[in-house]
Amino acid sequence: MRYASYLTPAGQPTWGLEIDGQLFDLGPSGVNLSPSLQSAIVDGLLATTPESDGAPVQEVEGTQFLPLLAAPGKVICIGVNYRSHREETGRADVGKPTVFARFSDTLAPHGADLPIPSESDMYDYEGEVALVVGAPADHVRPEDAFKVVAGYAAFNDFSARDWQRHTGQWTPGKNFPLSGAFGPYFMTASEVGDVTELVVETRVNGEVRQRAAVADLIFDIPAILEYVTAFTPLSPGDVIVTGTPGGVGLFMEPPTFLAPGDVVEVEVGKLGTLRNVLVA
């Protein structure tokens, strides 16, 4: 089962279950299971498939999507976490995950036209898998890591490389408005199964730029959760973005950055394809 956050034809924010190209409204405008997808995850309501009988239905095609989660308390990102990306950056093995924070108000939906910041001449893509926390997590042991994972979604960590490289701190380059595309669908961990089998593929105007399996992570999901929860507790609805494979525009020959009109797609197997058009 796949879940989405979106607008009804009347323009009301809601969330629902996607089945065969149709969305079944489980929000306040539908069967009113929970006010939002985020609250449904926080309350553990997706442990079993929700009842959708009698829910208003709309076609996926033509639907205006919303960011999957409206306001996660924490969005933690892991940098340089695929071997192919570490190799292209020339960075040495640092032995611990590289961690930075993204503000939740930077999240953007699938299908939206997203602005290239006028302040940046080096705007880039990073296709990734994001995990959503489903239980309180503090000093998580690796063997218990998947017990606190609610599920997964595709993510595009758009990055202003010039701002990212101003200093050793990446925060400015990772937090321009609408720079964290998230969606279109959330799947529970039980539905996904073995997350390491998921393959991340990023395309720009149809050209494959990135492709790698989650199995290629340097620090796998248990290692990420062990490290992150050792310095900050996580709550249901928090998000961890797990890293991007090699193939980003910064390290192409010559470096190739995004321009208005570019179509960027991040496809992650059964999680669906996150698609956005870049605008000035």
Side-chain angles (χ1 to χ4, degrees):
M1 301 291 105
R2 305 196 297 187
Y3 302 91
S5 298
Y6 59 95
L7 295 180
T8 69
Q12 182 173 349
T14 192
W15 69 284
L17 176 65
E18 185 271 336
I19 303 175
D20 297 331
Q22 294 184 310
L23 292 164
F24 292 77
D25 190 345
L26 304 181
S29 52
V31 298
N32 201 20
L33 177 67
S34 189
S36 67
L37 177 56
Q38 183 168 331
S39 61
I41 293 170
V42 169
D43 293 337
L45 300 182
L46 304 184
T48 58
T49 303
E51 180 59 60
S52 59
D53 286 352
V57 180
Q58 66 190 73
E59 299 294 324
V60 167
E61 186 174 355
T63 289
Q64 183 175 340
F65 284 77
L66 300 172
L68 276 179
L69 307 184
K74 296 176 183 177
V75 182
I76 304 291
C77 301
I78 309 300
V80 198
N81 198 29
Y82 279 85
R83 290 172 180 83
S84 57
H85 187 41
R86 186 179 68 187
E87 289 167 1
E88 71 180 359
T89 66
R91 286 171 58 97
D93 181 1
V94 294
K96 298 291 183 183
T98 297
V99 180
F100 59 94
R102 173 176 279 283
F103 307 143
S104 63
D105 64 1
T106 67
L107 298 180
H110 160 73
D113 292 350
L114 303 184
I116 297 174
S118 59
E119 297 85 357
S120 176
D121 296 317
M122 302 173 67
Y123 206 54
D124 209 350
Y125 52 84
E126 290 192 3
E128 315 200 21
V129 172
L131 70 84
V132 180
V133 175
D138 188 9
H139 290 83
V140 173
R141 297 179 300 177
E143 60 267 28
D144 296 328
F146 289 108
K147 296 178 183 178
V148 304
V149 177
Y152 307 93
F155 201 95
N156 197 334
D157 181 37
F158 287 104
S159 304
R161 299 297 187 194
D162 35 9
W163 283 75
Q164 183 182 349
R165 302 175 107 189
H166 282 169
T167 70
Q169 302 299 317
W170 296 0
T171 301
K174 297 289 190 172
N175 281 285
F176 277 86
L178 298 175
S179 61
F182 192 21
Y185 299 116
F186 167 85
M187 287 188 70
T188 64
S190 60
E191 286 277 348
V192 168
D194 185 356
V195 66
T196 66
E197 294 181 354
L198 291 179
V199 173
V200 181
E201 180 174 288
T202 306
R203 300 182 292 270
V204 179
N205 302 324
E207 176 190 3
V208 176
R209 298 280 185 87
Q210 298 180 289
R211 195 172 197 278
V214 173
D216 294 338
L217 288 173
I218 297 170
F219 299 100
D220 62 12
I221 287 171
I224 292 169
L225 282 165
E226 179 186 31
Y227 185 78
V228 170
T229 62
F231 73 84
T232 185
L234 299 176
S235 299
D238 287 347
V239 176
I240 296 180
V241 188
T242 58
T244 198
V248 299
L250 176 63
F251 297 108
M252 294 178 67
E253 292 291 345
T256 304
F257 299 107
L258 296 170
D262 283 347
V263 179
V264 185
E265 296 171 300
V266 179
E267 182 174 352
V268 187
K270 64 185 80 175
L271 299 180
T273 300
L274 171 63
R275 183 183 188 274
N276 296 98
V277 177
L278 279 297
V279 297

